[in-house]
Amino acid sequence: MIGYYNYSVILTYAGLGSAVLGMIQAMQGNLRVAILCLMICGFCDMFDGAIARTCKRTEDEKTFGIQIDSLCDLVCFGVFPAVIGYAVGIRSTFGYLCMFLYVLAALIRLGYFNVQEMNRVQEEGGKRKYYLGLPVTNVSLLIPTMLLLDIPTKFSVVRFYNIALLILGGAFLSKMKVKKIYMHGLIVVAAFGTIVFFLVYKYGDRIACLPFSTTPL
């Protein structure tokens, strides 16, 4: 079979599998499971690079890894959040447009940084100090946190989710500098993510969600 097969892509593929499962659950109205799957995607992405660096790879295998990572990111953090948007009740033309623009922004960002990352490694090497714009992987924590706010406030997440997608899409393509976190920062993010994961697991079934069989509004 064509392709490169080694343990460096295990977590990347695991994240993809979680996204596929999450989209199926979202379409069946199991929003809590879908959100948990999105967070698992983020967890897999957080550590897949570290695992890849322990594997001895050829230049072709490294390039393949970059491409595979971005393609999986598009599914996990581009398409998947849009499917969640439909699950929570987006049915309007404006909402569909927001979903499309969000996925398009994620696609443009990932394609752009595919080129930039290969150039950066060749010219600079070493660790990256900051990103330009918001990394798409951040939505694995931002979106669950936002959806949790629907529980105590009782505001319809549909009313804000499409706007949130527009804001996130704009942040993907912006030139603001976002510092890449290491060690202590990762510990803080992991701790916060664990709390959010627990809250979604315990209370996620209270988040407003419309099943796919619902008649469009």
Side-chain angles (χ1 to χ4, degrees):
M1 297 184 291
I2 63 172
Y4 299 96
Y5 302 94
N6 52 57
Y7 70 83
S8 68
V9 293
I10 290 177
L11 276 185
T12 302
Y13 292 161
L16 177 64
S18 180
V20 172
L21 174 62
M23 286 188 279
I24 293 172
Q25 293 301 311
M27 288 187 288
Q28 294 178 343
N30 299 325
L31 187 60
R32 175 174 63 177
V33 177
I35 298 171
L36 293 176
C37 285
L38 178 61
M39 298 193 71
I40 291 173
C41 291
F43 174 83
C44 290
D45 184 82
M46 183 180 294
F47 295 102
D48 63 356
I51 290 180
R53 284 189 291 273
T54 67
C55 179
K56 292 183 179 180
R57 296 177 294 168
T58 65
E59 289 303 315
D60 284 347
E61 287 174 330
K62 291 179 180 178
T63 302
F64 177 78
I66 292 174
Q67 300 299 326
I68 285 296
D69 186 67
S70 287
L71 290 170
C72 289
D73 283 353
L74 179 60
V75 177
C76 296
F77 311 114
V79 178
F80 189 7
V83 173
I84 289 177
Y86 192 87
V88 299
I90 291 179
R91 299 293 188 273
S92 66
T93 301
F94 175 69
Y96 294 153
L97 178 62
C98 292
M99 292 159 66
F100 166 71
L101 291 176
Y102 170 83
V103 177
L104 179 61
L107 173 66
I108 292 172
R109 177 183 178 82
L110 290 168
Y112 176 79
F113 278 101
N114 264 12
V115 176
Q116 294 300 311
E117 181 63 14
M118 286 188 289
N119 291 340
R120 186 191 69 82
V121 171
Q122 291 174 358
E123 295 174 4
E124 303 174 10
K127 293 183 178 181
R128 178 189 294 276
K129 294 182 179 179
Y130 64 86
Y131 295 102
L132 284 180
L134 181 73
V136 297
T137 55
N138 286 21
V139 303
S140 64
L141 188 54
L142 293 175
I143 287 179
T145 301
M146 182 196 73
L147 291 176
L148 278 175
L149 294 177
D150 181 67
I151 298 173
T153 61
K154 297 303 179 183
F155 287 130
S156 172
V157 292
V158 182
R159 190 178 308 168
F160 302 103
Y161 196 89
N162 49 14
I163 302 300
L165 290 181
L166 277 182
I167 294 173
L168 288 170
F172 291 161
L173 303 181
S174 72
K175 290 187 177 182
M176 66 177 179
K177 289 186 177 181
V178 178
K179 186 176 181 180
K180 183 171 182 178
I181 58 176
Y182 293 101
M183 207 55 188
H184 294 93
L186 286 175
I187 294 174
V188 172
V189 171
F192 180 71
T194 300
I195 294 172
V196 174
F197 190 92
F198 172 78
L199 291 175
V200 171
Y201 176 78
K202 189 171 180 63
Y203 304 108
D205 56 347
R206 301 182 187 179
I207 300 173
C209 177
L210 295 179
F212 267 43
S213 59
T214 300
T215 303
L217 299 178

